[in-house]
Amino acid sequence: MKRTEYRLVLLGPPGSGKGTQAILLSIHYRIPQISTGDILRAETLQISELGRTVSGYMVQGLLVPDDLMIAIARKRLAENDCARGFILDGFPRTIGQARSLQENGISIDDVIYLDVSDNVLLKRLTGRRICPGCSRMYHMQFNPPETDEICDDCGIALITRDDDGERIVRKRIGIFHEMTFPLIDHFKKLSGVRFHSINGFLADAGSPQEVFRQIRSDLETAGS
Ligand code: AMP
């Protein structure tokens, strides 16, 4: 029987392509992409105490504390558009955050882990550029704009995310290994959750579409 509901978690190190895959999945299955990174970045643009606090963690490549993240995710997941499913992109990132899903009665159908080696991550993240106008992402090596460092759509200069400099990127990868990697075992053991490990390198060999095809095939085989 064809599946109609997808409550997905995208797990993977920074630069593994979670954001790109979340957008493709969101369009394909018509369910919202919930990127806690995007929610936090929007918060940092507010002139507020919370915005300043969050920004302090993000620019250093540190994780925002669990209590705050759990409250943010819980509020977002309670919105109407999540009723038929969602794609969690960047949450949970700690065991405490993962447990909060169960504690709040939020069940997960599938966890997709994007596996990419540290060297590739470093190359991908430090080459990443973003358009400050439309948020379109580029990579100076794998997906460059037509004109050097200018957005193809908006014609404005691309920027590097504050936390994509090499020192901070290394720290973010280290934090992934320490805090987020243990979630693989956590989800593998959790009953009712289907765990899929996907080779995220395919995005370099072919295109992100290759990774997307693999994810869809895994999800649809698991659900049939
Ligand atoms: P991302 O856009 O997912 O790479 O997230 C960017 C930054 O936002 C991370 O380096 C963290 O500082 C913060 N962040 C995003 N999601 C979480 C989370 N679930 N827990 C803690 N910090 C987070």
Side-chain angles (χ1 to χ4, degrees):
M1 205 171 63
K2 198 172 179 322
R3 290 176 68 176
T4 53
E5 290 197 5
Y6 289 88
R7 287 175 290 260
L8 310 178
V9 166
L10 271 174
L11 202 61
S16 56
K18 293 190 300 296
T20 305
Q21 295 305 321
I23 292 169
L24 294 171
L25 287 162
S26 169
I27 294 168
H28 187 78
Y29 293 117
R30 298 177 192 202
I31 46 177
Q33 168 205 13
I34 299 176
S35 157
T36 43
D38 285 351
I39 295 173
L40 293 173
R41 274 184 288 280
E43 197 59 55
T44 63
L45 299 177
Q46 307 295 320
I47 306 165
S48 68
E49 188 61 37
L50 179 61
R52 272 193 295 277
T53 306
V54 163
S55 171
Y57 289 104
M58 291 177 82
V59 292
Q60 293 183 70
L62 299 173
L63 293 186
V64 173
D66 275 1
D67 51 353
L68 187 54
M69 290 316 305
I70 290 167
I72 288 174
R74 208 174 139 187
K75 182 162 168 259
R76 180 64 187 88
L77 286 167
E79 287 176 26
N80 285 343
D81 62 338
C82 296
R84 257 199 62 250
F86 48 78
I87 303 150
L88 280 173
D89 160 15
F91 185 95
R93 260 176 155 102
T94 65
I95 291 285
Q97 293 178 15
R99 291 211 177 107
S100 79
L101 291 171
Q102 288 161 270
E103 286 157 11
N104 290 302
I106 300 161
S107 57
I108 300 297
D109 302 314
D110 299 84
V111 174
I112 300 152
Y113 169 55
L114 294 176
D115 188 9
V116 180
S117 80
D118 289 0
N119 281 344
V120 172
L121 297 173
L122 199 64
K123 203 155 82 177
R124 281 193 191 170
L125 287 169
T126 53
R128 194 155 78 164
R129 299 290 181 277
I130 185 165
C131 171
C134 68
S135 300
R136 182 166 165 188
M137 301 279 281
Y138 295 87
H139 191 283
M140 295 318 291
Q141 189 180 345
F142 306 123
N143 174 31
E146 279 167 26
T147 315
D148 197 31
E149 310 252 349
I150 300 289
C151 179
D152 293 346
D153 296 333
C154 309
I156 55 177
L158 303 177
I159 56 167
T160 305
R161 242 171 71 167
D162 284 348
D163 55 355
D164 277 350
E166 183 167 341
R167 191 176 61 84
I168 301 295
V169 162
R170 286 188 189 278
K171 192 144 134 203
R172 288 166 62 206
I173 295 173
I175 288 176
F176 169 79
H177 286 296
E178 188 189 338
M179 306 295 287
T180 311
F181 195 78
L183 294 190
I184 294 175
D185 235 30
H186 169 87
F187 280 120
K188 276 185 176 169
K189 287 184 191 147
L190 206 60
S191 73
V193 172
R194 288 178 281 245
F195 186 89
H196 314 269
S197 185
I198 302 283
N199 175 358
F201 290 93
L202 287 172
D204 290 346
S207 73
Q209 292 290 345
E210 289 295 320
V211 178
F212 179 56
R213 255 193 293 278
Q214 188 65 56
I215 293 176
R216 261 184 61 200
S217 141
D218 265 41
L219 285 177
E220 287 167 21
T221 309
S224 56

